[in-house]
Amino acid sequence: MRKIFYTAVLAVLLGCGAGSITSCSSTETYADLVNSENRYINNFVSYLSIGNYKTLDEDQVDDITDAVLTDSIHPSKYLQLNQWYRIDEGDFKKLYFKIKSWGNDQNGFESGKFGTGSNILVRYDSCYQLDDDFIDFAQSTKGSNLDPNSYEIIYNWNVSYYATTYYASYYSTGSSYECTSAGMAFPARFLWYGGEAAIIVPFSLGTLSDKSAYTTLYYGVVKYTKPNYLPQ
């Protein structure tokens, strides 16, 4: 199993040992938490009327990624715009995503394409926590990062290394760093600068804090661009 598995296991152990926000009690096992998350996601998928999603297995994800990043084959040969997909196995199991825009490729295929080692500026217009009250978005909204003083940069993006190489920078009154969601970074492999996606991220693919709190998130519109600056 790859690094993302070990990161998830470590986060669970730390959460149980340190008395994190969601404690591991004798009445709620890890299996219970996974079953609850499955219910949240299934309910939300029904709510969004995306029951016609298509599934991708680990080999398909690897093949499409290699074709797009290595062989420069347009992802539209394999994926459709505005079609929901679910990853059924492997490192990104249970991730749902939809490509809303490929981004700007008007200057040729190679121009503006994200590749290994790219820094990616990530902005999202909405982020919701899925739970039994997910329909009440006023209660479950976690916000956006559209404020110019609050943004996220994924450094040295690389599909070969998942959770351990993604770092977020949030700037408002200062800066902080944390391991960011591998699920958040996933669609970048298919996009040019300015591309957009929607994502449902299970807690196994979330930040370290999401893993320890067992938080499942839905991002309405995530936009991936090349930073025109890097924070000092």
Side-chain angles (χ1 to χ4, degrees):
M1 190 65 67
R2 298 181 185 174
K3 295 179 181 179
I4 198 167
F5 170 80
Y6 297 108
T7 304
V9 171
L10 177 61
V12 171
L13 292 176
L14 289 174
C16 293
S20 58
I21 1 183
T22 303
S23 61
C24 297
S25 68
S26 57
T27 57
E28 192 171 29
T29 66
Y30 185 78
D32 291 333
L33 292 165
V34 171
N35 288 335
S36 294
E37 178 178 69
N38 289 338
R39 182 176 71 250
Y40 303 153
I41 292 177
N42 288 336
N43 288 344
F44 194 62
V45 165
S46 299
Y47 177 76
L48 289 182
S49 302
I50 59 175
N52 63 337
Y53 60 81
K54 296 182 179 180
T55 60
L56 297 173
D57 60 31
E58 188 173 23
D59 288 339
Q60 288 174 305
V61 170
D62 289 343
D63 289 345
I64 297 171
T65 300
D66 288 343
V68 172
L69 292 183
T70 306
D71 300 329
S72 296
I73 296 174
H74 198 288
S76 62
K77 179 176 180 180
Y78 305 98
L79 304 172
Q80 297 172 283
L81 280 179
N82 297 311
Q83 167 67 55
W84 279 98
Y85 293 90
R86 185 185 71 189
I87 311 300
D88 268 0
E89 60 182 25
D91 289 334
F92 292 96
K93 184 177 180 180
K94 290 175 65 177
L95 177 78
Y96 288 76
F97 74 96
K98 175 174 71 172
I99 304 299
K100 302 173 75 70
S101 167
W102 299 118
N104 182 11
D105 62 341
Q106 295 177 355
N107 296 320
F109 183 81
E110 296 292 339
S111 176
K113 184 72 180 68
F114 291 117
T116 295
S118 299
N119 294 317
I120 305 173
L121 173 63
V122 180
R123 290 195 180 280
Y124 49 88
D125 77 336
S126 54
C127 176
Y128 304 106
Q129 180 175 338
L130 301 190
D131 52 33
D132 282 326
D133 298 319
F134 75 88
I135 291 179
D136 187 357
F137 279 168
Q139 296 300 317
S140 59
T141 298
K142 294 196 70 176
S144 71
N145 72 340
L146 298 180
D147 185 323
N149 293 319
S150 177
Y151 55 87
E152 180 175 342
I153 291 178
I154 300 173
Y155 292 97
N156 299 320
W157 176 80
N158 189 327
V159 296
S160 299
Y161 302 94
Y162 301 121
T164 56
T165 57
Y166 298 137
Y167 291 92
S169 293
Y170 298 95
Y171 283 76
S172 50
T173 56
S175 63
S176 62
Y177 298 84
E178 66 170 285
C179 187
T180 195
S181 168
M184 169 77 82
F186 177 85
R189 67 190 65 208
F190 306 128
L191 303 175
W192 287 265
Y193 304 150
E196 296 179 339
I199 322 170
I200 299 173
V201 182
F203 60 71
S204 60
L205 295 174
T207 65
L208 290 178
S209 57
D210 292 335
K211 288 182 176 71
S212 62
Y214 310 105
T215 302
T216 309
L217 297 176
Y218 165 69
Y219 295 90
V221 180
V222 185
K223 188 170 185 175
Y224 304 84
T225 59
K226 181 179 180 180
N228 56 8
Y229 59 90
L230 286 176
Q232 300 301 311

